[in-house]
Amino acid sequence: MFIKYIVVGALAFAMLSGCSDNSSSNTTASAKVDQSKSSADLGKNAIQVGKDYHSFANPESIKVTHLSLDLTVDFSKKVLLGTAQLDFQRVDPKATQLILDTRDLTIEGVTSMGKVINYDLANADSFLGAALTIEIPADANSVVISYQTSPNASGVQWLTPEQTAGKKHPFLFTQAQAIHARSFIPLQDSPQVRMTYEAIIRTPKELLAVMSASNEPDTERDGVYEFSMPQAIPSYLIALAVGDLHFKSMGERTGVYSEKGILNAAAEEFSDTESMLIATEKAFGPYSWDRYDLLILPPSFPFGGMENPRLSFITPTVIAGDKSLVSLIAHELAHSWSGNTVTNATWRDLWLNEGFTTYLTYRIMQMIYGDERFEMEAVLGRQDLQADIDSLPANDQIMAIDLRGRDPDAVFSNIPYEKGALFLRELEHKVGRENFDQFLLGYFEKFAFKSITTDQFVNYLEQTLLKDHSAVLSKQRIEQWIFQPGVPADAPIPESYAFSVVDEARDAWLAGSIQAGEIDSEKWVVHQWLYFLNNMPEKLSQEQLVDLDKAFSLTSSKNNEIAHSWLLISVNNWYQPAFTRLHDYLTSIGRNKLVKPLYKALSQTPEGKVMAQKAFAEAKAGYHPLTVKTNEGFVQ
Ligand code: BES
Ligand code: ZN
C-alpha cells in the first residue's frame, strides 16, 4: 500500500498559499483552512494517504479477491440470509486474521475447508459498523460466513406492494455506496479492495432479481437467479434489486428494467443511452463492461442514480417526458470510465470519481445534444457549486477532503462534483481539448481496474500534462484546486446565451415593468425555467408569487426539478397555495436531493416545522433509511 503522510491544517495552508502567484484565492476570510493547530500537532494529525479511515478491514495483510453469495430474499421477515464465501490472498504470508466490515449483521458461523473456525464480532461503531475478525487456518484461502441481515440494514430498502407502482408485489433494492455494502454482506468494505463476484439469489417465484453483474432478461422466472461479475470491482458497486421487473431493449447493448407501468415511458425517455455509450467510447476509450442497462427504481430511491456496473440504478423522478433531465444517464454511464474502471482509493478521493464523471457528463451532453444544452447545464452546475461555497465551512470546500471521524453520508455536496469538473475544464482550456482528451484516454488506460489516491493522480499529472505543458500549468495551481477551499480566481466561467434572455425577462418582471404573463416564455426549455426560478431574490411578495403561478402553473408543474425549485421558493415565502403539492411531493418522492432542501427550509420556522413533521411522519415508512437519516434532524 502507498502510505505516505501529508499534513493538513497550518502547514499545508502555508505551503500552498505562499506559492500561488497567478492564483490568488477569491475565498472570503472565513473560508480558510483551520490554522489553529500548532506544528507539533501536525505529526499526529497527518492524514495517511491511501489509508481507508472508513473500513476496519486489513487488505494490507490479507486481501479478498472473490466473493460467492448464496442468499435467500425473505420479504416477510425483511432479511437476506445465506452464505458469503470469500476467497483471499495473503499479502503478508504470516497473516493469521482476516478482518471484515459488517453492520447490523447476525453472524451464524464461519467455516473454512468444511471446518468451523473462530471469529470475533466487535462492538459496533456508530457509523462504521462492527469489525468481524476471523482466525484463518494456515493453509486456508477461503472462508464461508453464514449470516443474515437486519430488517433495518442501512443499505437495503424493503418496499411493501403498496409502495410500488404495480401494488401487487414487494420490491427490494440495495444501495452500497459509500459504506453500506457491509450492512448486507460481510466483506472488506473499502474501495481499494477489488473483487470478482458470483451470486445465487433465491426469491419468490414470480419476482425477478437483477444485479450489478451479468443479467439475463429472458431468464425463466423460477425464483433462482445466478449472476457473475468477472471483472474485479470495489464493494460499493455490488448491488441487487428484486421485484416484478420487466425488460425493454433500447439498443444493441442497452436496455431498461422496471416495473411494467413505466417501462415504455422509461425506454422512451432514455432512448439516447445507446448513442451516449457509442459517443463516450469514441471519445474516451472502450467500454469495458459488456452491456449497459438501466434499472428504474421506485421513487423512494434516495439518489438520482447509482453507477452499479452494467446496470445503473436510476430514480424515476427524471422521467419528465422530454428528455430534459437525462444528463443523469450521461453521468451514471460516464462512471463506467471514471469510478468503475478507475476508482477512488478512499472516500477522501471521491472527487476523482465524481469530478471526472461530472466533467465527462458535460462532454457527453455536448456530443449528444449540442452546445446550447451543454452551456446551460454548465451554468446551472456552476451555480450549484457557488451555493455550496457560500454555505459550507472552508474544510468542506476542499476536494481532497479530510473525512476522518466523519460519516461520508453526512458530507454530500457539490464540491467533488462541480469543483472537480471545473478544475478539469480549466486543464482542458489551458492545454486544448485535443491534448486533454489524449490525457484522459491515457489516464483511463493506465489506471484501469485500479483504485487510486489523489496523490497518485497528481503524480501522474506531473509526469504527463504538467511536463508537456509547463508554460500554462503549474503544480501550485493544481494543488490550490485540490487542497484549498473555494474556487481559484480566473477559473473558467461557464456562460449561456440562452440564459441571458431569461435574465432580461426576470429583471423586467422584478422591476414591475411587465406582468409574468407578458414574458415571452413559450419556447423556454426546462433549464431556462430552472435558471429563471433559481435566481429569484430570496424574498418575493404574495402578489408576485400569485402572478408567477397564474401565468406558468408552477404549482402543478410535472417536471420534478421545476416543481422542486418552485416549492422551495414557496416555502421560503410562505406561499400557501403550493402547500398541498408540497405535501404530495414530500410524501411521494424519497430522492434526497429533491426533498432535503425542502425539509431544511421548512424547519426554519415553527409553522414550517409542523408541516415538515406531518409530511415526514406520513412518508417515513416508505423512505429509504438514508433519506430518514438525512432528514429526521429537520423534524425534531
Ligand atoms: N455515485 C453517485 C451517488 C453516490 C455518491 C452515492 C456518493 C453515495 C455516495 C452517483 O453517481 C451520483 O453522483 N448521483 C447523483 C447524480 C447527479 C449528480 C447527476 C445524484 O444522485 O444526484
Ligand atoms: Zn456520480
Side-chain angles (χ1 to χ4, degrees):
M1 191 34 39
F2 26 77
I3 303 283
K4 189 173 120 192
Y5 290 82
I6 63 141
V7 285
V8 290
L11 185 54
F13 185 73
M15 264 168 21
L16 295 165
S17 60
C19 45
S20 51
D21 41 1
N22 65 336
S23 55
S24 65
S25 167
N26 64 356
T27 51
T28 56
S30 66
K32 291 241 170 88
V33 288
D34 180 9
Q35 297 181 64
S36 62
K37 292 178 189 73
S38 74
S39 53
D41 293 336
L42 290 171
K44 273 186 279 163
N45 199 31
I47 297 177
Q48 287 180 39
V49 172
K51 179 178 161 68
D52 186 346
Y53 289 97
H54 296 95
S55 170
F56 293 112
N58 60 338
E60 66 289 347
S61 304
I62 297 189
K63 198 164 68 180
V64 170
T65 55
H66 183 74
L67 160 73
S68 314
L69 286 173
D70 185 333
L71 293 178
T72 297
V73 180
D74 185 335
F75 278 103
S76 64
K77 296 204 182 76
K78 299 192 175 176
V79 300
L80 300 171
L81 71 165
T83 55
Q85 175 176 327
L86 301 175
D87 301 343
F88 52 81
Q89 273 171 3
R90 284 159 211 271
V91 183
D92 170 2
K94 294 196 292 291
T96 58
Q97 292 185 330
L98 170 65
I99 307 176
L100 305 177
D101 294 294
T102 73
R103 182 186 295 122
D104 298 331
L105 297 182
T106 304
I107 306 297
E108 271 137 20
V110 185
T111 62
S112 182
M113 299 177 293
K115 292 202 190 74
V116 171
I117 54 172
N118 290 332
Y119 66 89
D120 173 67
L121 187 61
N123 289 333
D125 174 89
S126 63
F127 64 89
L128 296 178
L132 173 64
T133 304
I134 300 174
E135 303 297 331
I136 302 296
D139 47 350
N141 53 19
S142 82
V143 292
V144 178
I145 302 156
S146 302
Y147 73 100
Q148 55 175 292
T149 60
S150 152
N152 303 315
S154 61
V156 186
Q157 188 177 11
W158 298 87
L159 293 169
T160 62
E162 301 71 50
Q163 290 162 340
T164 67
K167 312 275 178 220
K168 284 212 184 77
H169 299 281
F171 199 104
L172 152 106
F173 66 88
T174 65
Q175 164 59 40
Q177 195 181 12
I179 54 171
H180 300 287
R182 65 191 66 175
S183 75
F184 57 95
I185 309 170
L187 41 53
Q188 293 186 317
D189 197 9
S190 168
Q192 54 199 268
V193 178
R194 306 183 81 100
M195 72 204 110
T196 50
Y197 82 80
E198 63 199 293
I200 301 175
I201 304 294
R202 303 168 196 277
T203 73
K205 272 201 174 50
E206 63 281 12
L207 303 184
L208 179 65
V210 290
M211 290 193 84
S212 54
S214 55
N215 287 291
E216 265 305 322
D218 302 325
T219 187
E220 193 190 335
R221 287 188 182 222
D222 57 2
V224 183
Y225 303 101
E226 292 187 25
F227 302 91
S228 99
M229 169 44 86
Q231 289 135 309
I233 59 166
S235 54
Y236 77 90
L237 295 175
I238 299 174
L240 165 70
V242 178
D244 183 17
L245 292 169
H246 297 265
F247 176 80
K248 185 161 181 168
S249 171
M250 296 189 295
E252 211 175 303
R253 281 181 291 172
T254 55
V256 58
Y257 291 86
S258 74
E259 285 191 73
K260 214 166 207 144
I262 53 163
L263 192 58
N264 286 331
E268 216 19 68
E269 193 80 16
F270 306 134
S271 64
D272 296 326
T273 308
E274 186 89 18
S275 326
M276 288 182 181
L277 173 58
I278 293 166
T280 315
E281 272 192 314
K282 210 162 151 218
F284 303 111
Y287 178 74
S288 321
W289 304 91
D290 192 26
R291 288 192 58 82
Y292 182 72
D293 293 317
L294 306 174
L295 169 68
I296 314 305
L297 291 139
S300 68
F301 186 58
F303 289 99
M306 178 64 213
E307 66 269 27
N308 299 315
R310 298 183 186 214
L311 183 67
S312 286
F313 284 24
I314 301 293
T315 174
T317 61
V318 292
I319 303 177
D322 57 4
K323 301 187 177 178
S324 56
L325 307 177
V326 299
S327 65
L328 175 75
I329 306 300
H331 180 100
E332 303 313 334
L333 170 69
H335 271 305
S336 305
W337 285 260
S338 41
N340 301 2
T341 300
V342 182
T343 306
N344 51 215
T346 76
W347 298 115
R348 170 177 191 247
D349 310 303
L350 177 71
W351 77 274
L352 290 175
N353 278 14
E354 299 301 345
F356 275 73
T357 294
T358 303
Y359 172 83
L360 293 182
T361 304
Y362 288 128
R363 295 288 304 275
I364 297 169
M365 294 306 287
Q366 186 176 31
M367 291 189 286
I368 305 297
Y369 300 101
D371 289 346
E372 188 162 277
R373 174 87 171 248
F374 158 70
E375 284 155 12
M376 290 190 296
E377 294 192 345
V379 171
L380 291 173
R382 182 65 185 87
Q383 293 201 327
D384 288 344
L385 172 60
Q386 195 57 41
D388 278 357
I389 287 175
D390 293 342
S391 63
L392 288 172
N395 284 314
D396 287 0
Q397 300 173 23
I398 294 172
M399 291 199 318
I401 189 172
D402 181 3
L403 286 178
R404 288 175 298 173
R406 298 179 75 181
D407 179 351
D409 288 341
V411 194
F412 199 81
S413 85
N414 286 300
I415 300 296
Y417 290 77
E418 297 293 344
K419 188 175 167 186
L422 200 60
F423 165 50
L424 297 180
R425 188 159 326 128
E426 173 170 300
L427 293 179
E428 181 210 313
H429 288 181
K430 293 247 161 100
V431 305
R433 182 166 278 192
E434 216 171 296
N435 290 326
F436 192 62
D437 285 357
Q438 274 311 111
F439 164 78
L440 286 176
L441 268 170
Y443 169 76
F444 292 134
E445 199 178 297
K446 160 111 181 155
F447 296 111
F449 296 97
K450 295 205 161 64
S451 302
I452 68 164
T453 62
T454 299
D455 275 49
Q456 280 175 291
F457 167 72
V458 173
N459 286 342
Y460 182 68
L461 254 189
E462 276 188 278
Q463 291 159 25
T464 54
L465 274 195
L466 216 60
K467 202 165 96 217
D468 299 339
H469 302 274
S470 57
V472 286
L473 299 179
S474 78
K475 186 159 182 212
Q476 292 90 313
R477 175 77 172 181
I478 286 157
E479 291 190 324
Q480 187 188 1
W481 271 103
I482 298 175
F483 300 109
Q484 287 294 301
V487 167
D490 314 320
I493 301 173
E495 279 169 353
S496 153
Y497 175 73
F499 283 171
S500 45
V501 295
V502 177
D503 281 327
E504 279 163 29
R506 192 193 316 98
D507 288 348
W509 177 74
L510 284 169
S513 4
I514 53 170
Q515 294 276 293
E518 293 169 71
I519 295 176
D520 183 13
S521 63
E522 213 154 289
K523 295 206 188 78
W524 282 9
V525 296
V526 167
H527 301 79
Q528 288 172 300
W529 283 109
L530 291 172
Y531 183 74
F532 179 69
L533 293 174
N534 293 351
N535 292 284
M536 285 291 174
E538 219 158 282
K539 287 284 154 224
L540 291 173
S541 70
Q542 293 298 307
E543 295 70 39
Q544 286 175 312
L545 293 161
V546 169
D547 188 32
L548 286 177
D549 205 8
K550 208 172 75 210
F552 308 128
S553 308
L554 293 163
T555 297
S556 52
S557 172
K558 292 206 166 53
N559 185 291
N560 287 310
E561 296 264 2
I562 293 178
H564 170 84
S565 294
W566 175 245
L567 291 173
L568 199 55
I569 290 175
S570 299
V571 173
N572 288 333
N573 292 283
W574 208 249
Y575 175 63
Q576 297 189 30
F579 287 176
T580 307
R581 175 78 202 274
L582 173 65
H583 183 83
D584 290 349
Y585 193 92
L586 291 172
T587 52
S588 62
I589 293 176
R591 182 180 171 192
N592 246 323
K593 184 189 143 188
L594 297 180
V595 298
K596 181 182 165 193
L598 296 170
Y599 276 119
K600 189 173 175 200
L602 283 168
S603 74
Q604 308 297 309
T605 63
E607 305 87 329
K609 196 166 245 188
V610 172
M611 283 173 57
Q613 282 162 340
K614 189 160 167 270
F616 192 81
E618 197 178 314
K620 189 177 170 191
Y623 280 157
H624 184 277
L626 180 66
T627 304
V628 172
K629 181 171 87 171
T630 312
N631 294 291
E632 64 192 353
F634 296 127
V635 296
Q636 266 149 19

